[in-house]
Amino acid sequence: IDALFQPKDLAGRKVLITAGPTFEPWDAVRGLTNRSSGKMGWALARAAWERGAEVQLVAGPTALDEPYGVRWVGVETARQMREAVQAALPGVDVFIAAAAVADWRPAAAQPGKLKKQSGEPPPVLYLDTNPDILAEVAARADAPYCVGFAAETDNLAANAQAKRLRKGVPMLIGNIGPQAFGRDDNACVLIDANGMTELPRMDKLALARRILHEIAARLPNDQS
Ligand code: CTP
Ligand code: CA
């Protein structure tokens, strides 16, 4: 019901959102991933849809139901996520990178399943660095308004401020990862060129509505 009362200030805007973790295969049954549940990305997609936006969600593997009202594409790896983002990018006004993209992937995914050999030492896992999807989008000449997320474990304010500048994005939302993963609520800080605003702990949908409100207020309104 609350959905009806959200201002339609994103009508005519296209919003692209990444969500969830990525999964980086090591062999046919094993891989690297992380604790992102996708709930914040889903809430952001819903909040953008409520404000009238055309929403495209690109999501890694999660246990969540298909979101209502938004276009959705499922991916597994960071490289697949980057490809789906680039394909969806033309005409996008806002890019929100809520996904917890794996920073590294096993350098060579093994076909089949690695088997234990008795008496052998354990295998060594070599990693390669994944592309930084957000930094790549933000660096484009035709970049949409970009919003990053940062899950930190300590020094939230300083780490998040530094990350906003390093990523070259106008807005970064920072939180303490272990206090957010999998939960239905979260607390965070919103950082932009004007400084930092604390958003107190609230339900992820309420938080997403607040974040979309802040984004909508910052969009240039020259729509042609
Ligand atoms: N991100 C991304 N692609 C990556 C890594 C991160 O798009 N390969 C995005 C995330 O979706 C998030 C933002 O970048 O919006 C920050 O992610 P984070 O992991 O906090 O930053 P990193 O630069 O990877 O730094 P860290 O060493 O703290 O992990
Ligand atoms: Ca990272």
Side-chain angles (χ1 to χ4, degrees):
I1 258 287
D2 277 357
L4 296 174
F5 297 104
Q6 300 298 313
K8 301 295 177 250
D9 50 8
L10 292 178
R13 305 281 198 176
K14 278 187 164 188
V15 177
L16 174 62
I17 300 173
T18 63
T22 65
F23 179 88
E24 312 291 335
W26 179 18
D27 70 7
V29 297
R30 303 181 180 93
L32 293 181
T33 187
N34 61 65
R35 292 185 183 281
S36 170
S37 66
K39 285 177 184 171
M40 194 62 216
W42 255 238
L44 290 160
R46 176 162 187 97
W49 169 80
E50 287 175 351
R51 299 181 100 88
E54 183 186 327
V55 183
Q56 168 81 61
L57 183 62
V58 177
T62 74
L64 303 175
D65 291 335
E66 269 193 43
Y68 178 76
V70 313
R71 272 189 296 150
W72 179 88
V73 54
V75 298
E76 189 164 86
T77 67
R79 288 184 294 175
Q80 290 166 356
M81 184 172 277
R82 172 216 234 169
E83 227 172 89
V85 163
Q86 282 175 355
L89 209 51
V92 163
D93 300 286
V94 180
F95 176 51
I96 308 178
V101 183
D103 292 317
W104 303 286
R105 63 174 181 273
Q110 309 292 316
K113 183 186 171 194
L114 291 168
K115 300 295 283 181
K116 277 183 298 190
Q117 315 280 358
S118 61
E120 291 284 301
V124 175
L125 179 55
Y126 291 98
L127 303 176
D128 275 341
T129 300
N130 271 329
D132 189 322
I133 301 168
L134 175 59
E136 280 182 6
V137 171
R140 294 170 66 111
D142 61 348
Y145 187 85
C146 288
V147 181
F149 273 72
E152 305 293 339
T153 51
D154 54 80
N155 287 330
L156 178 58
N159 281 335
Q161 304 251 29
K163 195 167 281 180
R164 187 184 82 81
L165 298 175
R166 186 154 45 77
K167 297 271 179 182
V169 297
M171 184 188 291
L172 188 114
I173 310 292
N175 63 49
I176 297 291
Q179 295 171 18
F181 289 141
R183 295 179 58 124
D184 289 326
D185 60 13
N186 196 7
C188 49
V189 294
L190 185 157
I191 296 166
D192 73 357
N194 296 319
M196 193 169 88
T197 313
E198 284 194 35
L199 306 181
R201 182 163 289 279
M202 57 184 122
D203 166 289
K204 282 183 177 172
L205 181 56
L207 196 58
R209 285 175 174 152
R210 176 69 197 278
I211 292 168
L212 266 298
H213 163 82
E214 299 292 342
I215 293 171
R218 287 166 174 78
L219 292 186
N221 50 31
D222 58 287
Q223 279 252 35
S224 38

